[in-house]
């Protein structure tokens, strides 16, 4: 199962997320893992390319881990991109609930 934890500050701004694990939807074509990875990597690349937001990102492919934290300049563009990512996560969770666990935490 992919466990996704989304972090929000006291102002309800998204400040990061962690994805951990593999969906194990299929041995051959794990579309759930592939979709989560593609959405996540695209969001991070978009924040890096289209915003001035500073962030930290760490990955470990073997564990299926991506850790992303905004460190500075958390602007509206980055928030919109994160909201879009979270919308995708929510839709995936509703369709593949036994493979994705989406959690929100205030930090």
């Amino acid at each position: 199962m992919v466990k996704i934890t989304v972090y929000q500050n006291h102002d309800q701004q998204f400040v990061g997320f962690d994805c951990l694990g593999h969906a194990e939807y299929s041995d051959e074509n794990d579309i759930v893992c592939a979709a989560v990875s593609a959405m996540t990597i695209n969001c991070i690349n978009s924040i890096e390319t289209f915003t001035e937001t500073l962030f930290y990102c760490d990955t470990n492919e073997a564990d299926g881990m991506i850790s992303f934290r905004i460190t500075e300049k958390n602007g509206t563009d980055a928030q919109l991109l994160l909201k879009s990512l979270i919308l995708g996560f929510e839709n995936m969770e509703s369709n593949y609930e036994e493979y994705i666990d989406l959690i929100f935490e205030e930090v």
Side-chain angles (χ1 to χ4, degrees), residues 63-76:
D63 295 332
M65 185 272 294
I66 298 176
S67 183
F68 173 87
R69 299 289 184 284
I70 291 177
T71 57
E72 291 183 43
K73 298 183 182 180
N74 191 356
T76 56

Side-chain angles (χ1 to χ4, degrees), residues 2-106:
V2 178
K3 179 180 176 184
I4 303 167
T5 306
V6 177
Y7 301 102
Q8 292 177 279
N9 64 19
H10 61 278
D11 294 328
Q12 299 301 304
Q13 282 193 319
F14 297 109
V15 294
F17 59 85
D18 290 329
C19 295
L20 182 61
H22 295 283
E24 298 179 8
Y25 176 81
S26 170
D27 289 335
E28 292 182 27
N29 296 311
D30 194 336
I31 61 171
V32 175
C33 234
V36 169
S37 295
M39 289 188 312
T40 302
I41 292 166
N42 186 65
C43 179
I44 294 168
N45 288 342
S46 295
I47 290 171
E48 182 176 36
T49 302
F50 300 123
T51 77
E52 295 182 11
T53 300
L54 302 177
F55 62 87
Y56 165 83
C57 185
D58 189 25
T59 64
N60 182 317
E61 189 175 333
D63 295 332
M65 185 272 294
I66 298 176
S67 183
F68 173 87
R69 299 289 184 284
I70 291 177
T71 57
E72 291 183 43
K73 298 183 182 180
N74 191 356
T76 56
D77 292 339
Q79 287 299 295
L80 181 60
L81 291 166
L82 288 167
K83 286 179 185 179
S84 177
L85 175 66
I86 292 161
L87 176 64
F89 286 159
E90 289 171 335
N91 288 330
M92 294 261 328
E93 183 185 40
S94 69
N95 290 309
Y96 299 97
E97 62 188 30
E98 63 269 22
Y99 302 101
I100 297 177
D101 186 20
L102 180 61
I103 301 162
F104 292 87
E105 287 188 15
E106 188 172 323

